[in-house]
């Protein structure tokens, strides 16, 4: 399934803001990391309907991906 592009852009904005807040970094750094992340690739390519996941879930994925948080499943 593909998501509406405007809705995706709004979701990206929320994710970047929350990621910056949780990882204690500025917006520019968070944006750079987000757009170079595996999480972004999954969302933008429509893999597993990642865009349907909650913002907190996706930000947790980003935090784990960049080592700011330990993955509790390993």
């Amino acid at each position: 399934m593909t998501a509406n592009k405007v809705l995706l852009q709004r979701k990206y904005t929320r994710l970047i803001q929350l990621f910056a807040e949780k990882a204690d970094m500025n917006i520019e750094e968070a944006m750079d990391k987000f757009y170079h992340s595996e999480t972004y690739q999954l969302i933008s390519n429509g893999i597993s309907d990642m865009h349907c996941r909650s913002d907190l879930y996706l930000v947790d994925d980003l935090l784990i991906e960049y080592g700011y948080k330990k993955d509790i499943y390993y």
Side-chain angles (χ1 to χ4, degrees):
M1 179 175 149
T2 57
N4 179 294
K5 298 219 182 273
V6 172
L7 294 178
L8 270 181
Q9 289 301 316
R10 287 183 175 193
K11 185 162 193 81
Y12 296 160
T13 301
R14 290 192 313 271
L15 293 174
I16 292 165
Q17 289 174 334
L18 188 56
F19 180 45
E21 199 176 288
K22 296 265 186 190
D24 194 29
M25 67 178 80
N26 63 45
I27 292 292
E28 291 81 14
E29 186 180 358
M31 188 178 342
D32 183 58
K33 287 181 184 272
F34 174 74
Y35 283 113
H36 289 97
S37 70
E38 183 179 328
T39 301
Y40 168 73
Q41 292 301 319
L42 293 172
I43 296 168
S44 65
N45 291 325
I47 306 298
S48 299
D49 288 335
M50 289 288 282
H51 64 279
C52 296
R53 308 278 176 149
S54 75
D55 293 353
L56 288 175
Y57 178 93
L58 294 171
V59 168
D60 270 353
D61 271 1
L62 288 166
L63 293 169
I64 291 166
E65 183 175 342
Y66 283 103
Y68 292 100
K69 183 176 183 178
K70 184 178 175 191
D71 188 351
I72 60 171
Y73 299 109
Y74 294 109

